[in-house]
Structures are given as C-alpha cells and as structure tokens.
Amino acid sequence: AAIATMGFRGEALPSIASVSRFTLTTRERASDSPEGTQLIISGGKMLEVKAAGSAPGTSVEVRQLFFNLPARRKFLRTEETESAHIQHYLTLAALAYPEVAFTFQKDGRLVWQLPAVKTGGDVPARLAALRERLRVLYGDERRMLTVDYSAEFQSPDEPNAETSLPSTPDSQPVSLLHLWGFIGAPGISRSTREDQHLFVNRRPVENRGLNFALLEGYHTALMKGRYPVACVFLEID
C-alpha cells in the first residue's frame, strides 16, 4: 500500500537477449553526432559493440527466438496466434501513446501504419489525440462517448493498521483521481472484453474490480453476456 514507484525496468531486454539473436542500436536524442552504438548479442553472449549510423532513439531487433532452447520453442503457438498476441500489445501501446508512430509488418506485408498524432498536456488535446488514434485503428463506425472526470479523496495513512489511533480528516493526505477516455454509447457492445482497454497511469491493466465497475456503469443498458467497448485512462497516486 505504500509503494510509490512503478516497478522494475530493463529486466526483459537481457532475458530476451539470452534466448535470441539480438541487435540493439541506440543514439542519444541530445547528441550532435550522427553516430550511434550497436550491440550484437547471441544467446546472451556479447559478440560485438560498434559505432553505427542511427536516427535518434533506440531500435531492438530479435531474430530466431528460442534458437538455443528447443524445449521452450515448442511452447510457441502457431504463427497466426503469436502474431495476434504481438498485434494486441502493439495496439495497447499505440492507444497509450498517440504521440508515437507505430508500424506493424507481418511477413513483409504492412498490416497497419499509425502516424504520430500531435497532442498537448491539457485534457481536450489528449482526448482529441486518442480519438484520432481510435479512428485510425478501428474506423469511424463506433459511437463513443467522452469521459472526463476528476475527484479528490482522502487516503488513510495506514490502511491495514487496525490498532493505530484514529486519524483526523486534517491529517489524511488528499489523493487526486482523474478518469478520462471514451466508452461506447449504450447499444454498442461485444461478446468478449476484446475491445475493452483500461489503463492505469498509462499502463494497460487487467483488473476484475475495474472490469466490474465499468460493466456496472452501464447497468441495464447492456444485455447479459455483452461487454462494453471502452478505452479509459485512470490516473491516480
């Protein structure tokens, strides 16, 4: 209840590099030099570190996943299934970051290309950017309602400390909650939660409580067994 950080970073890259033929090319955004750095790793062993021409930013290339672990490779599903997983997570990243351009290619064929959308710090600008990204991904046929709600609430200092002395309202810190995004108009629904995207502090989450709360908000506007269409962002301490 007291953790204020967003967890660890960077563990996935060395894990993936240990089970693939892996190339990372990176260049500092603030650098004046056109020269970047390229790391070539095979099965976790560093083969080469060299200078390389690169645009600002970082690109990661992973080939022959699990080439050195045949037993692990057997757990991979069909190419279609694995491709669908990749597209799902790219879609989540694309919704969370409309200001970033995304290109998805499969077997050399372009599946979709999402241009970067200009966005600002204020809510109307963020909503406009998200609406444009949703339009490019899903088309215009879905009627979506705008959600923009903010609230303050008191956070107990020690939620699980039953024996502590009761605190006064003045001593409790105030937390801000902001909920924004788009939800489908009543009548728009799906047979699965596939088009229900929930983010907490810009990170995609699967959470029963949030799923239930979203469904309850529709109350009798949805038939039983049907699920809302939504792309909602919760920002909270």
Side-chain angles (χ1 to χ4, degrees):
I3 293 174
T5 64
M6 292 179 74
F8 295 102
R9 283 291 181 274
E11 292 180 6
L13 279 180
S15 299
I16 294 169
S18 68
V19 293
S20 67
R21 304 198 191 279
F22 178 97
T23 304
L24 183 144
T25 308
T26 186
R27 178 181 148 203
E28 281 188 271
R29 214 169 282 281
S31 171
D32 294 328
S33 167
E35 191 177 274
T37 303
Q38 188 171 78
L39 286 73
I40 299 173
I41 301 171
S42 180
K45 292 179 182 173
M46 185 88 72
L47 300 183
E48 194 176 1
V49 180
K50 62 182 181 181
S54 169
T58 299
S59 66
V60 175
E61 185 179 282
V62 177
R63 294 181 181 271
Q64 290 179 266
L65 189 62
F66 299 133
F67 79 97
N68 54 347
L69 283 176
R72 186 75 67 86
R73 194 168 62 233
K74 284 195 295 189
F75 283 95
L76 287 174
R77 301 288 185 260
T78 65
E79 284 194 16
E80 284 299 321
T81 301
E82 297 297 341
S83 166
H85 288 317
I86 292 168
Q87 186 165 352
H88 170 69
Y89 285 106
L90 274 178
T91 299
L92 292 174
L95 290 172
Y97 293 90
E99 67 271 25
V100 176
F102 288 85
T103 302
F104 180 45
Q105 290 178 312
K106 181 186 171 189
D107 298 329
R109 179 177 59 85
L110 184 67
V111 179
W112 42 244
Q113 189 164 23
L114 306 176
V117 183
K118 283 187 179 179
T119 183
D122 60 331
V123 176
R126 289 157 76 188
L127 281 165
L130 179 59
R131 185 187 287 279
E132 175 60 19
R133 182 53 56 92
L134 284 166
R135 186 192 68 77
V136 175
L137 274 171
Y138 294 110
D140 280 326
E141 79 280 2
R142 307 191 304 180
R143 284 197 308 123
M144 304 293 279
L145 305 176
T146 303
V147 176
D148 183 11
Y149 173 78
S150 296
E152 293 182 355
F153 63 95
Q154 302 289 342
S155 303
D157 295 325
E158 298 175 65
N160 299 319
E162 295 176 5
T163 57
S164 63
L165 292 171
S167 56
T168 62
D170 293 339
S171 68
Q172 294 176 335
V174 172
S175 287
L176 298 176
L177 173 151
H178 185 206
L179 190 70
W180 66 278
F182 296 97
I183 59 174
I188 297 178
S189 65
R190 296 288 184 269
S191 57
T192 67
R193 288 198 176 94
E194 192 177 337
D195 286 349
Q196 186 172 300
H197 304 305
L198 302 174
F199 299 84
V200 176
N201 297 343
R202 255 194 178 187
R203 302 174 87 191
V205 296
E206 289 287 339
N207 180 276
R208 280 173 145 187
L210 291 179
N211 289 340
F212 180 75
L214 180 63
L215 197 57
E216 278 293 286
Y218 281 83
H219 197 45
T220 55
L222 288 181
M223 289 172 57
K224 193 167 184 178
R226 303 292 294 181
Y227 297 95
V229 171
C231 184
V232 177
F233 291 78
L234 174 63
E235 290 169 9
I236 195 169
D237 188 4

